[in-house]
Short mmCIF file of all heavy atoms in Angstrom, two decimals:
data_model
loop_
_atom_site.label_atom_id
_atom_site.label_comp_id
_atom_site.label_asym_id
_atom_site.label_seq_id
_atom_site.Cartn_x
_atom_site.Cartn_y
_atom_site.Cartn_z
N MET I 93 11.71 -59.80 -14.26
CA MET I 93 11.97 -59.22 -15.56
C MET I 93 12.48 -60.33 -16.49
O MET I 93 13.38 -61.07 -16.11
CB MET I 93 13.01 -58.12 -15.49
CG MET I 93 13.45 -57.60 -16.88
SD MET I 93 14.80 -56.45 -16.86
CE MET I 93 14.23 -55.19 -15.83
N LEU I 94 11.90 -60.42 -17.63
CA LEU I 94 12.37 -61.39 -18.66
C LEU I 94 13.42 -60.67 -19.51
O LEU I 94 13.20 -59.57 -19.99
CB LEU I 94 11.20 -61.81 -19.51
CG LEU I 94 11.53 -62.70 -20.77
CD1 LEU I 94 12.09 -64.07 -20.29
CD2 LEU I 94 10.30 -62.90 -21.62
N VAL I 95 14.58 -61.29 -19.67
CA VAL I 95 15.64 -60.72 -20.50
C VAL I 95 15.84 -61.66 -21.72
O VAL I 95 16.10 -62.82 -21.52
CB VAL I 95 16.93 -60.58 -19.68
CG1 VAL I 95 18.02 -60.03 -20.58
CG2 VAL I 95 16.69 -59.69 -18.47
N LEU I 96 15.74 -61.11 -22.91
CA LEU I 96 15.91 -61.87 -24.12
C LEU I 96 16.97 -61.26 -24.99
O LEU I 96 17.20 -60.04 -24.98
CB LEU I 96 14.56 -61.86 -24.92
CG LEU I 96 13.34 -62.40 -24.22
CD1 LEU I 96 12.11 -62.12 -25.07
CD2 LEU I 96 13.51 -63.87 -23.98
N SER I 97 17.64 -62.10 -25.73
CA SER I 97 18.63 -61.61 -26.74
C SER I 97 17.97 -61.74 -28.10
O SER I 97 17.35 -62.76 -28.42
CB SER I 97 19.87 -62.49 -26.70
OG SER I 97 20.50 -62.40 -25.44
N ARG I 98 18.09 -60.73 -28.91
CA ARG I 98 17.56 -60.71 -30.26
C ARG I 98 18.58 -60.09 -31.19
O ARG I 98 19.32 -59.19 -30.81
CB ARG I 98 16.28 -59.89 -30.36
CG ARG I 98 15.13 -60.36 -29.48
CD ARG I 98 14.30 -61.51 -30.10
NE ARG I 98 15.05 -62.77 -30.10
CZ ARG I 98 14.76 -63.77 -30.86
NH1 ARG I 98 13.79 -63.73 -31.72
NH2 ARG I 98 15.43 -64.88 -30.79
N LYS I 99 18.61 -60.51 -32.41
CA LYS I 99 19.47 -59.93 -33.43
C LYS I 99 18.60 -58.98 -34.29
O LYS I 99 17.37 -59.00 -34.22
CB LYS I 99 20.08 -61.03 -34.35
CG LYS I 99 21.02 -61.94 -33.58
CD LYS I 99 21.54 -63.00 -34.48
CE LYS I 99 22.44 -63.96 -33.66
NZ LYS I 99 22.87 -65.10 -34.48
N CYS I 100 19.27 -58.20 -35.14
CA CYS I 100 18.55 -57.26 -35.98
C CYS I 100 17.49 -58.01 -36.82
O CYS I 100 17.75 -59.11 -37.30
CB CYS I 100 19.53 -56.53 -36.89
SG CYS I 100 18.86 -55.04 -37.59
N ASN I 101 16.33 -57.44 -36.94
CA ASN I 101 15.17 -57.97 -37.68
C ASN I 101 14.47 -59.12 -36.94
O ASN I 101 13.49 -59.69 -37.49
CB ASN I 101 15.52 -58.36 -39.11
CG ASN I 101 15.94 -57.18 -39.89
OD1 ASN I 101 15.34 -56.09 -39.82
ND2 ASN I 101 17.01 -57.29 -40.64
N GLU I 102 14.90 -59.52 -35.79
CA GLU I 102 14.20 -60.52 -35.00
C GLU I 102 13.16 -59.87 -34.19
O GLU I 102 13.20 -58.68 -33.89
CB GLU I 102 15.14 -61.37 -34.17
CG GLU I 102 16.07 -62.26 -35.01
CD GLU I 102 16.97 -63.10 -34.11
OE1 GLU I 102 17.27 -62.78 -32.98
OE2 GLU I 102 17.38 -64.16 -34.66
N GLN I 103 12.11 -60.64 -33.80
CA GLN I 103 10.95 -60.08 -33.09
C GLN I 103 10.70 -60.75 -31.75
O GLN I 103 11.13 -61.85 -31.49
CB GLN I 103 9.72 -60.21 -33.96
CG GLN I 103 9.81 -59.45 -35.28
CD GLN I 103 8.58 -59.65 -36.12
OE1 GLN I 103 7.98 -60.70 -36.16
NE2 GLN I 103 8.20 -58.59 -36.82
N ILE I 104 9.96 -60.01 -30.93
CA ILE I 104 9.39 -60.52 -29.69
C ILE I 104 7.88 -60.25 -29.78
O ILE I 104 7.49 -59.19 -30.19
CB ILE I 104 9.97 -59.81 -28.51
CG1 ILE I 104 11.49 -60.02 -28.44
CG2 ILE I 104 9.31 -60.22 -27.17
CD1 ILE I 104 12.20 -59.16 -27.43
N VAL I 105 7.09 -61.26 -29.43
CA VAL I 105 5.63 -61.11 -29.47
C VAL I 105 5.08 -61.10 -28.06
O VAL I 105 5.42 -62.03 -27.26
CB VAL I 105 4.97 -62.22 -30.34
CG1 VAL I 105 3.48 -62.08 -30.33
CG2 VAL I 105 5.55 -62.25 -31.76
N ILE I 106 4.24 -60.12 -27.74
CA ILE I 106 3.64 -60.05 -26.41
C ILE I 106 2.13 -60.22 -26.64
O ILE I 106 1.50 -59.48 -27.37
CB ILE I 106 3.91 -58.69 -25.75
CG1 ILE I 106 5.43 -58.53 -25.58
CG2 ILE I 106 3.19 -58.56 -24.42
CD1 ILE I 106 5.83 -57.16 -25.09
N GLY I 107 1.57 -61.24 -25.97
CA GLY I 107 0.17 -61.56 -26.20
C GLY I 107 -0.06 -61.92 -27.64
O GLY I 107 0.79 -62.52 -28.29
N ASP I 108 -1.22 -61.59 -28.15
CA ASP I 108 -1.54 -61.92 -29.53
C ASP I 108 -1.38 -60.73 -30.50
O ASP I 108 -1.45 -60.92 -31.70
CB ASP I 108 -3.02 -62.40 -29.64
CG ASP I 108 -3.21 -63.75 -28.96
OD1 ASP I 108 -2.28 -64.55 -28.95
OD2 ASP I 108 -4.32 -63.95 -28.44
N ASP I 109 -1.18 -59.53 -29.91
CA ASP I 109 -1.28 -58.36 -30.82
C ASP I 109 -0.21 -57.30 -30.63
O ASP I 109 -0.34 -56.17 -31.10
CB ASP I 109 -2.65 -57.76 -30.67
CG ASP I 109 -3.03 -57.44 -29.22
OD1 ASP I 109 -2.16 -57.66 -28.32
OD2 ASP I 109 -4.17 -57.03 -29.00
N ILE I 110 0.91 -57.60 -29.91
CA ILE I 110 2.00 -56.63 -29.76
C ILE I 110 3.25 -57.33 -30.29
O ILE I 110 3.63 -58.41 -29.82
CB ILE I 110 2.15 -56.18 -28.32
CG1 ILE I 110 0.86 -55.51 -27.80
CG2 ILE I 110 3.36 -55.27 -28.17
CD1 ILE I 110 0.86 -55.18 -26.31
N ILE I 111 3.91 -56.62 -31.23
CA ILE I 111 5.09 -57.18 -31.81
C ILE I 111 6.23 -56.15 -31.70
O ILE I 111 6.07 -54.99 -32.09
CB ILE I 111 4.93 -57.54 -33.31
CG1 ILE I 111 3.81 -58.60 -33.47
CG2 ILE I 111 6.22 -58.04 -33.92
CD1 ILE I 111 3.38 -58.85 -34.87
N ILE I 112 7.34 -56.54 -31.14
CA ILE I 112 8.50 -55.67 -31.00
C ILE I 112 9.58 -56.22 -31.94
O ILE I 112 9.94 -57.41 -31.82
CB ILE I 112 8.97 -55.61 -29.54
CG1 ILE I 112 7.89 -55.09 -28.64
CG2 ILE I 112 10.26 -54.76 -29.45
CD1 ILE I 112 8.18 -55.17 -27.20
N THR I 113 10.09 -55.37 -32.83
CA THR I 113 11.07 -55.78 -33.79
C THR I 113 12.37 -55.00 -33.54
O THR I 113 12.33 -53.78 -33.34
CB THR I 113 10.61 -55.54 -35.24
OG1 THR I 113 9.34 -56.19 -35.44
CG2 THR I 113 11.62 -56.02 -36.27
N VAL I 114 13.52 -55.68 -33.54
CA VAL I 114 14.82 -55.01 -33.45
C VAL I 114 15.06 -54.50 -34.86
O VAL I 114 15.29 -55.30 -35.83
CB VAL I 114 15.91 -55.97 -32.98
CG1 VAL I 114 17.25 -55.21 -32.99
CG2 VAL I 114 15.59 -56.50 -31.60
N VAL I 115 15.01 -53.20 -35.03
CA VAL I 115 15.16 -52.56 -36.35
C VAL I 115 16.63 -52.29 -36.69
O VAL I 115 17.05 -52.52 -37.81
CB VAL I 115 14.38 -51.21 -36.40
CG1 VAL I 115 14.57 -50.50 -37.71
CG2 VAL I 115 12.89 -51.49 -36.18
N ALA I 116 17.44 -51.86 -35.69
CA ALA I 116 18.83 -51.58 -35.96
C ALA I 116 19.60 -51.61 -34.63
O ALA I 116 19.07 -51.34 -33.59
CB ALA I 116 18.99 -50.21 -36.59
N ILE I 117 20.86 -51.93 -34.73
CA ILE I 117 21.78 -51.91 -33.60
C ILE I 117 23.03 -51.17 -34.07
O ILE I 117 23.64 -51.55 -35.04
CB ILE I 117 22.15 -53.33 -33.15
CG1 ILE I 117 20.94 -54.16 -32.82
CG2 ILE I 117 23.12 -53.25 -31.95
CD1 ILE I 117 21.17 -55.62 -32.61
N LYS I 118 23.33 -50.09 -33.35
CA LYS I 118 24.47 -49.26 -33.78
C LYS I 118 25.17 -48.78 -32.50
O LYS I 118 24.56 -48.02 -31.74
CB LYS I 118 24.04 -48.09 -34.65
CG LYS I 118 25.17 -47.29 -35.15
CD LYS I 118 24.68 -46.21 -36.15
CE LYS I 118 25.83 -45.42 -36.72
NZ LYS I 118 25.37 -44.36 -37.63
N GLY I 119 26.39 -49.24 -32.30
CA GLY I 119 27.12 -48.84 -31.06
C GLY I 119 26.31 -49.37 -29.85
O GLY I 119 25.94 -50.48 -29.76
N GLY I 120 26.04 -48.45 -28.93
CA GLY I 120 25.31 -48.80 -27.71
C GLY I 120 23.84 -48.51 -27.83
O GLY I 120 23.13 -48.50 -26.82
N THR I 121 23.32 -48.33 -29.02
CA THR I 121 21.92 -47.99 -29.21
C THR I 121 21.19 -49.07 -30.00
O THR I 121 21.66 -49.55 -31.02
CB THR I 121 21.76 -46.62 -30.02
OG1 THR I 121 22.44 -45.65 -29.27
CG2 THR I 121 20.33 -46.24 -30.15
N VAL I 122 20.02 -49.41 -29.52
CA VAL I 122 19.18 -50.38 -30.22
C VAL I 122 17.88 -49.64 -30.61
O VAL I 122 17.27 -48.93 -29.83
CB VAL I 122 18.79 -51.57 -29.27
CG1 VAL I 122 17.83 -52.50 -29.92
CG2 VAL I 122 20.05 -52.25 -28.78
N ARG I 123 17.52 -49.79 -31.88
CA ARG I 123 16.27 -49.17 -32.37
C ARG I 123 15.20 -50.27 -32.44
O ARG I 123 15.46 -51.32 -33.02
CB ARG I 123 16.45 -48.52 -33.75
CG ARG I 123 17.37 -47.31 -33.68
CD ARG I 123 17.56 -46.66 -35.00
NE ARG I 123 16.25 -46.22 -35.56
CZ ARG I 123 15.79 -44.99 -35.48
NH1 ARG I 123 16.47 -44.04 -34.93
NH2 ARG I 123 14.62 -44.71 -36.04
N LEU I 124 14.07 -49.98 -31.84
CA LEU I 124 12.98 -50.94 -31.78
C LEU I 124 11.77 -50.41 -32.53
O LEU I 124 11.46 -49.23 -32.45
CB LEU I 124 12.56 -51.23 -30.32
CG LEU I 124 13.69 -51.77 -29.40
CD1 LEU I 124 13.15 -51.82 -27.98
CD2 LEU I 124 14.17 -53.15 -29.87
N GLY I 125 11.11 -51.31 -33.22
CA GLY I 125 9.84 -50.98 -33.83
C GLY I 125 8.75 -51.72 -33.05
O GLY I 125 8.90 -52.87 -32.69
N ILE I 126 7.66 -50.99 -32.69
CA ILE I 126 6.58 -51.56 -31.89
C ILE I 126 5.26 -51.48 -32.62
O ILE I 126 4.87 -50.39 -33.00
CB ILE I 126 6.50 -50.87 -30.50
CG1 ILE I 126 7.85 -50.96 -29.81
CG2 ILE I 126 5.37 -51.45 -29.70
CD1 ILE I 126 7.95 -50.07 -28.58
N GLU I 127 4.63 -52.61 -32.83
CA GLU I 127 3.31 -52.69 -33.42
C GLU I 127 2.35 -53.08 -32.33
O GLU I 127 2.53 -54.14 -31.72
CB GLU I 127 3.27 -53.74 -34.54
CG GLU I 127 4.15 -53.44 -35.71
CD GLU I 127 4.15 -54.57 -36.72
OE1 GLU I 127 3.05 -54.99 -37.12
OE2 GLU I 127 5.24 -55.02 -37.10
N ALA I 128 1.35 -52.20 -32.08
CA ALA I 128 0.40 -52.46 -31.07
C ALA I 128 -0.95 -51.93 -31.50
O ALA I 128 -1.00 -50.98 -32.27
CB ALA I 128 0.83 -51.84 -29.75
N PRO I 129 -2.06 -52.50 -30.99
CA PRO I 129 -3.35 -51.98 -31.35
C PRO I 129 -3.54 -50.55 -30.83
O PRO I 129 -2.86 -50.14 -29.87
CB PRO I 129 -4.35 -52.93 -30.68
CG PRO I 129 -3.54 -53.81 -29.83
CD PRO I 129 -2.12 -53.65 -30.12
N PRO I 130 -4.46 -49.76 -31.42
CA PRO I 130 -4.60 -48.37 -30.99
C PRO I 130 -4.95 -48.15 -29.55
O PRO I 130 -4.60 -47.12 -28.98
CB PRO I 130 -5.79 -47.90 -31.90
CG PRO I 130 -5.82 -48.84 -33.02
CD PRO I 130 -5.32 -50.16 -32.52
N HIS I 131 -5.62 -49.14 -28.91
CA HIS I 131 -6.01 -48.94 -27.50
C HIS I 131 -4.85 -49.17 -26.52
O HIS I 131 -5.01 -48.96 -25.33
CB HIS I 131 -7.20 -49.86 -27.13
CG HIS I 131 -6.80 -51.31 -27.12
ND1 HIS I 131 -6.82 -52.10 -28.23
CD2 HIS I 131 -6.43 -52.15 -26.13
CE1 HIS I 131 -6.50 -53.32 -27.92
NE2 HIS I 131 -6.24 -53.41 -26.66
N VAL I 132 -3.66 -49.57 -27.01
CA VAL I 132 -2.50 -49.79 -26.15
C VAL I 132 -1.60 -48.60 -26.26
O VAL I 132 -1.12 -48.24 -27.34
CB VAL I 132 -1.76 -51.08 -26.62
CG1 VAL I 132 -0.47 -51.22 -25.76
CG2 VAL I 132 -2.65 -52.29 -26.45
N SER I 133 -1.33 -47.94 -25.13
CA SER I 133 -0.39 -46.80 -25.08
C SER I 133 1.03 -47.29 -25.13
O SER I 133 1.39 -48.30 -24.44
CB SER I 133 -0.57 -46.00 -23.79
OG SER I 133 -1.88 -45.51 -23.68
N VAL I 134 1.84 -46.66 -25.96
CA VAL I 134 3.25 -46.99 -26.02
C VAL I 134 4.03 -45.68 -25.86
O VAL I 134 3.91 -44.79 -26.69
CB VAL I 134 3.62 -47.69 -27.36
CG1 VAL I 134 5.10 -48.01 -27.41
CG2 VAL I 134 2.80 -48.95 -27.55
N HIS I 135 4.80 -45.55 -24.75
CA HIS I 135 5.57 -44.39 -24.51
C HIS I 135 6.94 -44.77 -24.01
O HIS I 135 7.15 -45.78 -23.37
CB HIS I 135 4.94 -43.53 -23.38
CG HIS I 135 3.57 -43.02 -23.69
ND1 HIS I 135 3.36 -42.05 -24.61
CD2 HIS I 135 2.35 -43.39 -23.24
CE1 HIS I 135 2.05 -41.78 -24.69
NE2 HIS I 135 1.42 -42.60 -23.88
N ARG I 136 7.94 -43.90 -24.28
CA ARG I 136 9.22 -44.02 -23.60
C ARG I 136 8.98 -43.69 -22.13
O ARG I 136 8.09 -42.92 -21.78
CB ARG I 136 10.24 -43.04 -24.20
CG ARG I 136 10.61 -43.34 -25.61
CD ARG I 136 11.73 -42.43 -26.11
NE ARG I 136 11.78 -41.13 -25.54
CZ ARG I 136 11.43 -40.04 -26.22
NH1 ARG I 136 11.04 -40.02 -27.46
NH2 ARG I 136 11.53 -38.86 -25.62
N GLU I 137 9.76 -44.31 -21.27
CA GLU I 137 9.55 -44.10 -19.83
C GLU I 137 9.56 -42.64 -19.40
O GLU I 137 8.70 -42.18 -18.66
CB GLU I 137 10.57 -44.91 -19.01
CG GLU I 137 10.39 -44.78 -17.53
CD GLU I 137 11.43 -45.51 -16.76
OE1 GLU I 137 12.50 -45.87 -17.33
OE2 GLU I 137 11.22 -45.71 -15.55
N GLU I 138 10.50 -41.87 -19.92
CA GLU I 138 10.61 -40.48 -19.48
C GLU I 138 9.40 -39.66 -20.00
O GLU I 138 8.98 -38.72 -19.33
CB GLU I 138 11.93 -39.81 -19.95
CG GLU I 138 12.13 -39.74 -21.43
CD GLU I 138 12.70 -40.97 -22.07
OE1 GLU I 138 12.76 -42.06 -21.48
OE2 GLU I 138 13.17 -40.82 -23.24
N VAL I 139 8.85 -40.03 -21.12
CA VAL I 139 7.66 -39.32 -21.62
C VAL I 139 6.46 -39.69 -20.77
O VAL I 139 5.65 -38.79 -20.42
CB VAL I 139 7.44 -39.72 -23.13
CG1 VAL I 139 6.07 -39.17 -23.60
CG2 VAL I 139 8.54 -39.17 -23.99
N LEU I 140 6.32 -40.94 -20.43
CA LEU I 140 5.21 -41.37 -19.52
C LEU I 140 5.31 -40.62 -18.20
O LEU I 140 4.26 -40.15 -17.70
CB LEU I 140 5.25 -42.87 -19.34
CG LEU I 140 4.12 -43.43 -18.48
CD1 LEU I 140 2.79 -43.14 -19.04
CD2 LEU I 140 4.34 -44.91 -18.26
N ARG I 141 6.50 -40.52 -17.66
CA ARG I 141 6.63 -39.76 -16.38
C ARG I 141 6.21 -38.31 -16.54
O ARG I 141 5.51 -37.77 -15.66
CB ARG I 141 8.09 -39.79 -15.86
CG ARG I 141 8.36 -41.06 -15.07
CD ARG I 141 9.70 -41.04 -14.38
NE ARG I 141 10.64 -41.62 -15.35
CZ ARG I 141 11.81 -41.10 -15.71
NH1 ARG I 141 12.20 -39.95 -15.21
NH2 ARG I 141 12.58 -41.72 -16.57
N ALA I 142 6.57 -37.67 -17.63
CA ALA I 142 6.21 -36.30 -17.87
C ALA I 142 4.68 -36.15 -18.03
O ALA I 142 4.05 -35.20 -17.56
CB ALA I 142 6.89 -35.75 -19.13
N ILE I 143 4.05 -37.08 -18.72
CA ILE I 143 2.59 -37.06 -18.89
C ILE I 143 1.88 -37.19 -17.54
O ILE I 143 0.99 -36.44 -17.23
CB ILE I 143 2.14 -38.20 -19.83
CG1 ILE I 143 2.60 -37.91 -21.29
CG2 ILE I 143 0.64 -38.37 -19.77
CD1 ILE I 143 2.45 -39.11 -22.22
N ARG I 144 2.40 -38.11 -16.75
CA ARG I 144 1.75 -38.31 -15.41
C ARG I 144 1.97 -37.11 -14.56
O ARG I 144 1.05 -36.66 -13.85
CB ARG I 144 2.38 -39.55 -14.77
CG ARG I 144 1.90 -40.83 -15.37
CD ARG I 144 2.50 -42.03 -14.71
NE ARG I 144 1.88 -43.26 -15.18
CZ ARG I 144 2.34 -44.47 -14.94
NH1 ARG I 144 3.44 -44.58 -14.20
NH2 ARG I 144 1.73 -45.51 -15.41
N GLN I 145 3.11 -36.50 -14.60
CA GLN I 145 3.38 -35.28 -13.82
C GLN I 145 2.50 -34.12 -14.26
O GLN I 145 1.90 -33.43 -13.42
CB GLN I 145 4.85 -34.86 -13.92
CG GLN I 145 5.25 -33.72 -13.05
CD GLN I 145 5.11 -34.05 -11.54
OE1 GLN I 145 5.55 -35.09 -11.12
NE2 GLN I 145 4.46 -33.18 -10.82
N ALA I 146 2.35 -33.98 -15.55
CA ALA I 146 1.47 -32.91 -16.06
C ALA I 146 0.03 -33.14 -15.67
O ALA I 146 -0.67 -32.16 -15.32
CB ALA I 146 1.60 -32.87 -17.59
N MET I 147 -0.43 -34.36 -15.64
CA MET I 147 -1.78 -34.68 -15.22
C MET I 147 -1.98 -34.39 -13.75
O MET I 147 -3.02 -33.87 -13.36
CB MET I 147 -2.15 -36.13 -15.57
CG MET I 147 -2.26 -36.39 -17.04
SD MET I 147 -2.59 -38.11 -17.41
CE MET I 147 -4.33 -38.20 -16.99
N GLU I 148 -0.99 -34.74 -12.95
CA GLU I 148 -1.08 -34.44 -11.51
C GLU I 148 -1.11 -32.96 -11.26
O GLU I 148 -1.87 -32.48 -10.41
CB GLU I 148 0.07 -35.10 -10.77
CG GLU I 148 0.00 -36.59 -10.69
CD GLU I 148 1.25 -37.19 -10.04
OE1 GLU I 148 2.03 -36.48 -9.42
OE2 GLU I 148 1.38 -38.45 -10.13
N ASN I 149 -0.31 -32.18 -11.99
CA ASN I 149 -0.27 -30.73 -11.78
C ASN I 149 -1.54 -30.06 -12.28
O ASN I 149 -1.96 -29.05 -11.74
CB ASN I 149 0.96 -30.16 -12.56
CG ASN I 149 2.26 -30.54 -11.90
OD1 ASN I 149 2.30 -30.94 -10.76
ND2 ASN I 149 3.32 -30.47 -12.67
N ARG I 150 -2.16 -30.62 -13.29
CA ARG I 150 -3.35 -30.03 -13.86
C ARG I 150 -4.58 -30.29 -12.98
O ARG I 150 -5.42 -29.41 -12.79
CB ARG I 150 -3.63 -30.59 -15.24
CG ARG I 150 -4.81 -29.93 -15.97
CD ARG I 150 -5.01 -30.46 -17.33
NE ARG I 150 -5.32 -31.90 -17.26
CZ ARG I 150 -5.12 -32.77 -18.23
NH1 ARG I 150 -4.60 -32.36 -19.35
NH2 ARG I 150 -5.44 -34.02 -18.07
N ASN I 151 -4.67 -31.47 -12.39
CA ASN I 151 -5.83 -31.86 -11.56
C ASN I 151 -5.41 -32.46 -10.27
O ASN I 151 -5.64 -33.66 -10.06
CB ASN I 151 -6.73 -32.81 -12.36
CG ASN I 151 -7.29 -32.21 -13.59
OD1 ASN I 151 -7.82 -31.12 -13.56
ND2 ASN I 151 -7.20 -32.97 -14.66
N PRO I 152 -4.77 -31.70 -9.38
CA PRO I 152 -4.31 -32.33 -8.12
C PRO I 152 -5.51 -32.82 -7.31
O PRO I 152 -6.50 -32.18 -7.21
CB PRO I 152 -3.58 -31.22 -7.40
CG PRO I 152 -4.01 -29.95 -8.07
CD PRO I 152 -4.49 -30.31 -9.45
N GLY I 153 -5.37 -34.07 -6.80
CA GLY I 153 -6.38 -34.67 -5.94
C GLY I 153 -7.58 -35.19 -6.70
O GLY I 153 -8.50 -35.73 -6.10
N ASP I 154 -7.64 -35.10 -8.02
CA ASP I 154 -8.74 -35.62 -8.79
C ASP I 154 -8.58 -37.13 -8.96
O ASP I 154 -7.72 -37.57 -9.68
CB ASP I 154 -8.82 -34.95 -10.16
CG ASP I 154 -10.03 -35.38 -10.97
OD1 ASP I 154 -10.80 -36.25 -10.50
OD2 ASP I 154 -10.20 -34.87 -12.08
N GLU I 155 -9.41 -37.88 -8.27
CA GLU I 155 -9.26 -39.37 -8.34
C GLU I 155 -9.77 -39.93 -9.65
O GLU I 155 -9.57 -41.10 -9.90
CB GLU I 155 -10.02 -39.98 -7.15
CG GLU I 155 -9.35 -39.63 -5.84
CD GLU I 155 -10.05 -40.32 -4.68
OE1 GLU I 155 -10.87 -41.26 -4.91
OE2 GLU I 155 -9.76 -39.94 -3.54
N ASN I 156 -10.43 -39.14 -10.48
CA ASN I 156 -10.90 -39.61 -11.77
C ASN I 156 -9.87 -39.48 -12.87
O ASN I 156 -10.11 -39.76 -13.99
CB ASN I 156 -12.16 -38.86 -12.18
CG ASN I 156 -13.31 -39.23 -11.27
OD1 ASN I 156 -13.42 -40.37 -10.77
ND2 ASN I 156 -14.19 -38.27 -10.98
N ASN I 157 -8.67 -39.01 -12.47
CA ASN I 157 -7.57 -38.92 -13.46
C ASN I 157 -7.30 -40.30 -14.04
O ASN I 157 -7.16 -41.25 -13.26
CB ASN I 157 -6.29 -38.41 -12.80
CG ASN I 157 -6.06 -36.98 -12.99
OD1 ASN I 157 -6.74 -36.32 -13.80
ND2 ASN I 157 -5.08 -36.42 -12.26
N GLN I 158 -7.20 -40.39 -15.32
CA GLN I 158 -6.87 -41.69 -15.94
C GLN I 158 -5.44 -41.61 -16.44
O GLN I 158 -5.15 -40.80 -17.29
CB GLN I 158 -7.82 -41.97 -17.07
CG GLN I 158 -9.22 -42.22 -16.54
CD GLN I 158 -9.95 -43.25 -17.37
OE1 GLN I 158 -9.51 -43.62 -18.45
NE2 GLN I 158 -11.02 -43.72 -16.84
N MET I 159 -4.57 -42.40 -15.84
CA MET I 159 -3.19 -42.42 -16.24
C MET I 159 -2.97 -43.24 -17.47
O MET I 159 -3.63 -44.27 -17.60
CB MET I 159 -2.29 -42.97 -15.11
CG MET I 159 -2.32 -42.17 -13.86
SD MET I 159 -1.51 -40.60 -14.15
CE MET I 159 -1.62 -39.89 -12.55
N PRO I 160 -2.11 -42.85 -18.37
CA PRO I 160 -1.83 -43.70 -19.51
C PRO I 160 -1.27 -45.05 -19.10
O PRO I 160 -0.61 -45.17 -18.08
CB PRO I 160 -0.75 -42.92 -20.28
CG PRO I 160 -0.90 -41.53 -19.81
CD PRO I 160 -1.38 -41.57 -18.40
N ASN I 161 -1.54 -46.06 -19.88
CA ASN I 161 -1.02 -47.38 -19.63
C ASN I 161 0.49 -47.38 -19.75
O ASN I 161 1.05 -46.80 -20.63
CB ASN I 161 -1.64 -48.31 -20.71
CG ASN I 161 -1.36 -49.75 -20.46
OD1 ASN I 161 -0.38 -50.10 -19.85
ND2 ASN I 161 -2.23 -50.58 -20.93
N SER I 162 1.17 -48.06 -18.81
CA SER I 162 2.62 -48.04 -18.80
C SER I 162 3.18 -49.30 -19.45
O SER I 162 4.35 -49.61 -19.27
CB SER I 162 3.15 -47.94 -17.38
OG SER I 162 2.74 -49.05 -16.63
N ASN I 163 2.39 -49.97 -20.27
CA ASN I 163 2.89 -51.18 -20.88
C ASN I 163 3.98 -50.98 -21.95
O ASN I 163 4.68 -51.90 -22.27
CB ASN I 163 1.73 -51.96 -21.56
CG ASN I 163 0.84 -52.58 -20.54
OD1 ASN I 163 1.27 -52.81 -19.45
ND2 ASN I 163 -0.37 -52.90 -20.86
N GLY I 164 4.11 -49.86 -22.59
CA GLY I 164 5.06 -49.70 -23.61
C GLY I 164 6.10 -48.72 -23.27
O GLY I 164 6.10 -47.57 -23.66
N ARG I 165 7.09 -49.11 -22.50
CA ARG I 165 8.14 -48.16 -22.16
C ARG I 165 8.98 -47.83 -23.27
O ARG I 165 9.76 -48.20 -23.84
CB ARG I 165 8.96 -48.70 -21.01
CG ARG I 165 8.25 -48.63 -19.78
CD ARG I 165 9.08 -49.14 -18.70
NE ARG I 165 8.27 -50.10 -18.05
CZ ARG I 165 8.61 -50.70 -16.97
NH1 ARG I 165 9.74 -50.54 -16.44
NH2 ARG I 165 7.80 -51.54 -16.36
#
């Protein structure tokens, strides 16, 4: 895991087309803005888990299930 320190309004660039911006820092909460192309899924981790669980429950054993990309937690 890469750990970086950023201040408000500073950015992190992933590849050529994903930009993460620190939008605000308040107390123990950091607000991030994420710019990514439409083909890249961006989800909070708990939302991604819920999507995957719903897909498994809807089509158990279906090997053609396509899971969302987990690149954007």
Side-chain angles (χ1 to χ4, degrees):
M93 173 188 305
L94 173 65
V95 178
L96 301 171
S97 297
R98 300 277 72 200
K99 295 178 183 175
C100 198
N101 296 317
E102 292 184 335
Q103 298 178 324
I104 297 168
V105 179
I106 300 173
D108 292 328
D109 52 5
I110 300 173
I111 300 171
I112 300 171
T113 304
V114 178
V115 176
I117 304 169
K118 185 175 182 180
T121 303
V122 176
R123 292 182 59 98
L124 301 173
I126 302 170
E127 297 175 49
H131 68 274
V132 175
S133 300
V134 178
H135 298 288
R136 295 188 326 254
E137 181 182 15
E138 65 274 15
V139 171
L140 181 61
R141 275 188 270 131
I143 291 169
R144 287 180 172 169
Q145 185 64 47
M147 290 177 75
E148 288 176 13
N149 291 340
R150 186 178 62 204
N151 297 313
D154 183 359
E155 293 182 14
N156 293 325
N157 262 351
Q158 294 213 346
M159 296 293 182
N161 189 332
S162 63
N163 287 339
R165 283 181 231 186

